[in-house]
Amino acid sequence: MAMPHGSNETSYLLPPNSEDWGGHGIPDFVYGQKELVPEGIQWPRSGPSLLERLPLSRFDSALCLAWRQRMELGLFRYCLGELQTQTLPGAVGFVAQLNVERGVQRRSPQNIRSVRQAFDPEQFNFNQIRPGEVLFRLHREPDLPSALQQDDILVVINVSPLEWGHVLLVPEPARGLPQRLLPGALQAGVEAVLLSSHPGFRVGFNSLGGLASVNHLHLHGYYLAHRLPVEGAPSEPLDPGGRLHLLQALPAPGFLFYTSGTGPDLEALISRVCRATDYLTDHEIAHNLFVTRGAPPGKTSSSSALTGVRVILWARKSSFGIKEGEAFNVALCELAGHLPVKTSQDFSSLTEAAALAVIRDCLLPPAQAGEVQAALVALIAKEEQ
């Protein structure tokens, strides 16, 4: 991604001397309604290379400058270079990337046995990270209206990055919240997507059992300069009001929530999504969630214009720990069509059919998937009562 020159966002940079990092304090990134842009951000027609020439938003500038500095300072587990990338031949349009270092050097997952597992302060958590790993604190302007409880969100580097700008959005670490999605955290994630002028900045969430490796509430955010299948995949409505849709297209069927507005429309979507994830968590059903700019529900296509925000939710089989021997692990980005592959051999031999087989193995059996769908439709119907 292109970096701004002469930017005045220097307050997000660490002092040159590492001994001063502890006293540096966490800078605030304060944003208002005008910076949330639901429409008008599109992929360049001439290909991803033109993304380098697009102007960055204030959010992108702050994140990318601070993230790059931390990379130069050696705060990551490995130096992320340009990743070898290919679009797999076939109808889906999987974007596969070779990321050997992440497969080898990422932190081992915690011992998770339940989607509802309590926070354990004795396990690794985000109260233990180094001061330099925090980029800034996301903070909404006090006069930005919201009916949701607002938490300040720390934007923290992921020390084992998937891609450029890979960060974690962590609500008030001292509260010791388990990995269960809350409205304030999701709102911050969706608004981060709206704050970015890059069409490929996405946010996601992995539940416990859905390959979350740390049981401390966090979302992922990262840049990927490629379209993904879920941005424009067609869908069918599941309720008369059009508030819940079903994505039936590959790579995996999922529940689609959509909004092209901010304010009350956005808050209604967030409330709806969190009721759905609460149901899944309470019933011990693992899940993954992906937030991206995308096309409205209905008969769309992969080339449709990005007119709002899509939030896609997948209920899936629980998987505790990392599956060895697979080309990739199935979590939020893989279900969306982005496949970080662990080895050169798998990267060179991976086919669309093989990728779909790995993903299908993680999906709920049809009967259980039908039960979940009926339950979520019933939850949405209660809004009308």
Side-chain angles (χ1 to χ4, degrees), residues 22-310:
H24 175 61
I26 301 174
D28 286 331
F29 183 93
V30 183
Y31 64 94
Q33 186 75 35
K34 291 182 179 178
E35 291 182 87
L36 303 177
V37 182
E39 299 183 64
I41 307 297
Q42 303 296 333
W43 289 103
R45 293 186 177 182
S46 301
S49 61
L50 283 183
L51 285 171
E52 295 292 326
R53 305 177 193 173
L54 295 179
L56 297 178
S57 69
R58 190 170 67 93
F59 171 80
D60 295 318
S61 296
L63 191 157
C64 292
L65 278 169
W67 197 90
R68 183 178 69 171
Q69 185 209 34
R70 271 58 166 192
M71 180 64 72
E72 293 170 347
L73 290 170
L75 288 174
F76 292 79
R77 292 189 172 210
Y78 48 86
C79 184
L80 185 78
E82 186 172 345
L83 297 175
Q84 192 175 346
T85 304
Q86 63 176 332
T87 300
L88 298 186
V92 177
F94 281 117
V95 177
Q97 289 189 308
L98 179 60
N99 193 335
V100 176
E101 295 283 4
R102 179 172 168 84
V104 173
Q105 299 198 38
R106 65 175 299 190
R107 181 181 289 109
S108 297
Q110 294 176 359
N111 184 22
I112 305 295
R113 288 291 175 264
S114 167
V115 178
R116 295 180 290 175
Q117 192 159 313
F119 174 77
D120 181 356
E122 299 301 316
Q123 296 284 335
F124 170 79
N125 63 76
F126 299 115
N127 292 304
Q128 301 168 9
I129 62 175
R130 296 167 292 179
E133 294 179 29
V134 181
L135 303 185
F136 50 81
R137 182 186 292 106
L138 270 182
H139 186 73
R140 306 171 96 242
E141 285 185 352
D143 59 349
L144 193 60
S146 176
L148 301 174
Q149 177 182 343
Q150 291 305 301
D151 293 332
D152 286 346
I153 306 290
L154 297 187
V155 178
V156 179
I157 62 170
N158 188 323
V159 295
S160 301
L162 281 168
E163 245 287 12
W164 174 264
H166 189 177
V167 293
L168 304 175
L169 309 180
V170 183
E172 297 183 17
R175 293 176 63 189
L177 298 169
Q179 185 67 351
R180 177 174 182 146
L181 191 60
L182 295 177
L186 179 57
Q187 182 168 27
V190 175
E191 290 184 347
V193 171
L194 295 175
L195 285 169
S196 175
S197 62
H198 192 298
F201 182 74
R202 280 78 171 224
V203 165
F205 172 85
N206 295 322
S207 80
L208 300 179
L211 263 62
S213 59
V214 177
N215 185 15
H216 195 182
L217 182 56
H218 65 285
L219 288 80
H220 294 261
Y222 70 103
Y223 296 92
L224 179 69
H226 297 271
R227 281 185 174 270
L228 291 176
V230 294
E231 291 176 22
S235 63
E236 294 183 358
L238 293 177
D239 75 297
R243 293 161 297 184
L244 178 66
H245 286 73
L246 181 66
L247 284 185
Q248 295 180 311
L250 300 172
F255 299 104
L256 170 63
F257 304 81
Y258 173 85
T259 184
S260 58
T262 57
D265 288 345
L266 179 56
E267 290 185 12
L269 175 140
I270 289 164
S271 177
R272 208 170 290 140
V273 172
C274 287
R275 282 201 300 276
T277 56
D278 280 347
Y279 170 86
L280 296 175
T281 303
D282 291 341
H283 288 79
E284 200 66 36
I285 300 171
H287 47 281
N288 306 98
L289 179 142
F290 196 77
V291 183
T292 182
R293 293 185 182 273
K299 296 181 178 180
T300 49
S301 70
S302 59
S303 60
S304 294
L306 312 179
T307 57
V309 171
R310 283 185 163 202

Side-chain angles (χ1 to χ4, degrees), residues 8-30:
N8 60 2
E9 303 294 351
T10 56
S11 61
Y12 305 112
L13 301 179
L14 291 172
N17 191 338
S18 61
E19 294 179 358
D20 297 329
W21 294 354
H24 175 61
I26 301 174
D28 286 331
F29 183 93
V30 183

